[in-house]
Amino acid sequence: MIVRVLGSAAGGGFPQWNCNCANCAGLRKGLIKTRARTQSSIAVSDTGESWVLFNASPDIRAQIESFALLQPGRAVRDISIVGVVLVDSQIDHATGLLFLREGSPLHVYCTDMVYQDLTGGFPVLNMLAHYCGVERHRIELSVSGEFSIPQLHGLRFVAAPLESKAPPYSAHRYDPHPGDTIGVLLEDRHSGKRLFYAPALGKLEPRILALMEQADCVLADGTFWRDDELLRAGISNKRAAEMGHLSQSGRGGMIEVMHGLKKPRKVLIHINNTNPILREDSPERAELNREGIEVAFDGMEIVL
């Protein structure tokens, strides 16, 4: 299994276009040790020939151009992307579908809740019906959560509902349903190696911890360092938990969770522009290093 991090930042990217927080301003002025990041998405393949995207960010065009294997150039119009798995219906995970409208019908894998949002409050899939068209594949959660992608027969996919938040335009923003947000366990059928991917994770339940413990690599929510990070930065009055994200620090945070995981490689993704872990020489990054926790970056490759 080959995993390519196309984008590692949260919504807005890093630096965010209108943000002058210490991180964004520091990056623009070259004052801090860090690197720019586009909005969160990964590409996964079993052989390196056909690829599935997990989420389609607004930066998808630049992300495709940055990774040659997604554009092999075998014909006048060509792409090696065979599908898009949506873990939620957030704007920074679904808007990129619109930038794929010039191709053949898009194969989109999503839950019923995500499909409702993307044909209702944010009708991206309805819009695409007038361009390339959409072939929707249902991710069913009521039984095992297992689904397959025909062109990637070497991989097995298992979806698990997560506690997080549906987007503001969702009809069930304040009425949570299973399938608003999912994590996915990917297994290589030949090597038996497993990846657990969850870029949005608001609460850790025992069944999710069990999936993490099964994995050889956990690629999980790294949005905020502190629950009150945006308040401290003077940006918003919302806390991380209100936005459906488990912060890294503090009791019950991602560091504490990952500390108990002995088997998997641990990597944080979907990192907000305000998060101090973006600074490679920060005390917060040093703490992650001591815990053996990595910070994803654009272009990072994980082979399992």
Side-chain angles (χ1 to χ4, degrees):
M1 184 191 327
I2 309 165
V3 181
R4 174 82 173 203
V5 175
L6 300 177
S8 52
F14 177 59
Q16 184 172 300
W17 62 279
N18 66 341
C19 186
N20 294 300
C21 71
N23 281 349
C24 290
L27 173 58
R28 291 193 188 98
K29 296 174 182 177
L31 298 177
I32 61 175
K33 188 177 181 181
T34 188
R35 65 179 80 188
R37 288 167 164 83
T38 58
Q39 295 170 86
S40 177
S41 175
I42 65 172
V44 179
S45 178
D46 53 353
T47 64
E49 295 184 4
S50 296
W51 295 80
V52 61
L53 299 183
F54 279 76
N55 301 326
S57 89
D59 298 315
I60 187 62
R61 184 185 180 280
Q63 291 169 346
I64 290 173
E65 290 297 319
S66 72
F67 187 35
L69 292 182
L70 296 183
Q71 227 302 4
R74 299 163 296 195
V76 176
R77 291 286 178 94
D78 185 36
I79 199 73
S80 59
I81 298 169
V82 297
V84 182
V85 176
L86 298 175
V87 302
D88 55 38
S89 54
Q90 299 288 346
I91 196 168
D92 54 318
H93 286 163
T95 305
L97 294 172
L98 293 172
F99 299 97
L100 303 176
R101 68 187 184 276
E102 293 89 358
S104 54
L106 288 175
H107 289 264
V108 175
Y109 297 76
C110 65
T111 65
D112 287 344
M113 293 299 103
V114 169
Y115 185 72
Q116 286 179 24
D117 288 344
L118 298 184
T119 54
F122 182 38
V124 173
L125 301 185
N126 297 349
M127 290 184 252
L128 287 170
H130 299 282
Y131 294 90
C132 59
V134 175
E135 294 287 341
R136 186 257 172 146
H137 303 265
R138 187 183 188 205
I139 295 178
E140 175 62 68
L141 299 174
S142 62
V143 188
S144 66
E146 186 168 344
F147 65 99
S148 61
I149 297 174
Q151 299 89 336
L152 300 179
H153 52 80
L155 300 179
R156 173 175 169 262
F157 304 85
V158 179
L162 301 178
E163 283 204 29
S164 190
K165 288 280 187 181
Y169 43 78
S170 174
H172 35 94
R173 168 71 168 177
Y174 301 105
D175 179 23
H177 285 68
D180 288 336
T181 305
I182 61 171
V184 182
L185 184 71
L186 295 80
E187 181 180 4
D188 187 297
R189 296 182 187 275
H190 303 292
S191 70
K193 298 290 187 179
R194 295 172 174 176
L195 169 80
F196 183 71
Y197 178 61
L201 182 59
K203 182 180 178 181
L204 191 69
E205 301 171 271
R207 59 184 176 81
I208 301 303
L209 183 59
L211 290 176
M212 288 182 168
E213 290 174 337
Q214 292 176 33
D216 296 280
C217 179
V218 171
L219 191 55
D221 191 341
T223 311
F224 296 112
W225 178 258
R226 303 175 61 100
D227 187 55
D228 62 351
E229 189 169 306
L230 297 182
L231 283 80
R232 285 172 170 261
I235 292 173
S236 171
N237 60 1
K238 291 183 178 179
R239 292 179 173 271
E242 294 176 62
M243 301 171 69
H245 296 287
L246 184 67
S247 56
Q248 279 106 63
S249 62
R251 187 174 181 179
M254 193 65 74
I255 293 175
E256 183 178 293
V257 168
M258 288 189 162
H259 181 78
L261 301 175
K262 305 306 180 185
K263 177 184 177 182
R265 178 180 177 184
K266 308 158 191 176
V267 185
L268 297 176
I269 195 169
H270 194 272
I271 305 151
N272 199 60
N273 61 84
T274 55
N275 196 327
I277 67 174
L278 289 169
R279 299 187 183 211
E280 296 171 15
D281 54 1
S282 67
E284 292 83 1
R285 179 69 80 92
E287 184 174 347
L288 291 183
N289 290 340
R290 288 192 296 271
E291 290 287 337
I293 300 173
E294 301 173 59
V295 177
F297 56 87
D298 291 22
M300 183 182 200
E301 190 169 285
I302 299 169
V303 179
L304 298 171

